[in-house]
Amino acid sequence: MITTYKAAPDIDVLTSSFPIPGFGLVPINAFVLHGPEPLLVDTGAVIEREEFMTALRSVLDPADLKWIWLTHPDFDHIGALPQLLAENAELRIITTFLGVGIMSLTAPLPMDRVHLLNPGQKIAVGDRTLTAVKPPAFDNPSTTGFHDDKSGALFSSDCFGALLSVVPENAADLSDDELRQGQVLWATVDSPWLHKVDTAPFARELDAIRAIEPTMILSSHLPAASGSITERLLASLAAVPSAQPFVGPDQAALEQMLAQMTAGGPQ
Ligand SMILES: [Fe+2]
Ligand SMILES: [Fe+2]
């Protein structure tokens, strides 16, 4: 089920909680930035694309959208993208050369509707200036988040995500333990290469986020987080390189799960 809430007066969050058996819930968020040139950040999961369009229509008429910021073309970010492009001929997509390349393997983006933006580059979108930011952790080489100078929010894509037992609308409502453990588990799943990084250069990456002083961190996979908990979020990520690596259930575990489901019979 996709629900909506406000992270700021002019920013709507469209959110769905996706269950990962045995590991909890991962929020899947998209964001609508209202203004003279409305912008949608990502477009939901492919499996929920119809429901995503319904939720989107509850906060804005998709015909009024001017931009989509595609943080990266994973299945939990591109759900309604083809339909939105088909319905609105004026809509343009902010992405990278690599994002376009990956999309060309599933739903090619019309090149005249693409705006390529690399980390560090800026784009004016109505009354906002957006600066592209490479997040310190990511699962797809094309990943690009951004800082919005109007709201002060940092849109971090998969970075700062968490696996949770319940998904509130405000990350500050999570206990220290739940937030830290949920973030660390998510990062070991989503960015397993973090176990191979030197911690000093990684700490400089985290410092670069700290220097932005975001008023909010809006991750694709975490409830909206005000700037007051940025240090908590950064501390969790700093712990990931030395955390237990994630190993998924193997065939024996799968057979045990299936046997338990069979023994339980129809519900
Ligand atoms: Fe991803
Ligand atoms: Fe994602």
Side-chain angles (χ1 to χ4, degrees), residues 72 74 76-77 139-140 143 157-158 186 190 221:
H72 64 298
D74 282 354
D76 50 330
H77 299 255
D139 69 348
N140 181 306
T143 299
S157 193
D158 286 7
W186 169 257
D190 196 58
H221 303 303

Side-chain angles (χ1 to χ4, degrees), residues 20 23 163 184-190 192 195 243-249:
I20 301 183
F23 295 95
L163 279 158
V184 169
L185 177 57
W186 169 257
T188 61
V189 172
D190 196 58
H195 296 299
Q244 180 85 20
F246 173 76
V247 178

Side-chain angles (χ1 to χ4, degrees), residues 9-233:
D10 57 351
I11 301 178
D12 282 301
V13 185
L14 280 63
T15 189
S16 171
S17 293
F18 190 77
I20 301 183
F23 295 95
L25 301 167
V26 59
I28 299 178
N29 300 328
F31 305 95
V32 173
L33 280 62
H34 298 275
E37 297 186 21
L39 176 139
L40 173 65
V41 183
D42 292 331
T43 64
V46 173
I47 198 166
E48 292 183 314
R49 57 190 182 276
E50 294 300 330
E51 201 185 334
F52 183 89
M53 289 300 296
T54 302
L56 180 63
R57 286 191 180 97
S58 76
V59 299
L60 132 154
D61 181 348
D64 292 336
L65 271 179
K66 290 283 184 284
W67 300 95
I68 290 174
W69 185 295
L70 179 62
T71 67
H72 64 298
D74 282 354
F75 289 132
D76 50 330
H77 299 255
I78 63 168
L81 183 54
Q83 184 171 348
L84 285 162
L85 290 176
E87 280 190 13
N88 179 342
E90 303 299 315
L91 189 50
R92 295 188 64 190
I93 314 106
I94 304 167
T95 181
T96 61
F97 179 76
L98 199 49
V100 171
I102 295 170
M103 284 301 295
S104 71
L105 298 167
T106 179
L109 300 175
M111 294 307 286
D112 58 341
R113 298 176 63 183
V114 159
H115 185 103
L116 299 185
L117 205 69
N118 286 326
Q121 295 184 321
K122 297 175 188 291
I123 183 170
V125 170
D127 56 353
R128 304 171 190 273
T129 299
L130 312 181
T131 304
V133 173
K134 188 78 178 174
F138 49 84
D139 69 348
N140 181 306
S142 72
T143 299
T144 314
F146 66 91
H147 178 254
D148 164 32
D149 75 332
K150 186 178 179 205
S151 66
L154 175 70
F155 293 78
S156 65
S157 193
D158 286 7
C159 188
F160 300 111
L163 279 158
L164 301 169
S165 56
V166 291
V167 181
E169 292 183 358
N170 185 342
D173 291 342
L174 296 164
S175 71
D176 279 345
D177 277 355
E178 178 148 41
L179 180 59
R180 186 179 62 253
Q181 289 167 13
Q183 268 194 271
V184 169
L185 177 57
W186 169 257
T188 61
V189 172
D190 196 58
S191 305
W193 51 267
L194 281 173
H195 296 299
K196 301 179 181 180
V197 301
D198 269 340
T199 50
F202 185 55
R204 288 197 289 276
E205 292 283 304
L206 300 181
D207 280 343
I209 298 299
R210 188 173 280 118
I212 294 171
E213 296 184 5
T215 58
M216 280 186 289
I217 291 184
L218 296 177
S219 164
S220 304
H221 303 303
L222 184 75
S226 83
S228 63
I229 67 164
T230 296
E231 284 303 323
R232 287 170 66 189
L233 301 184

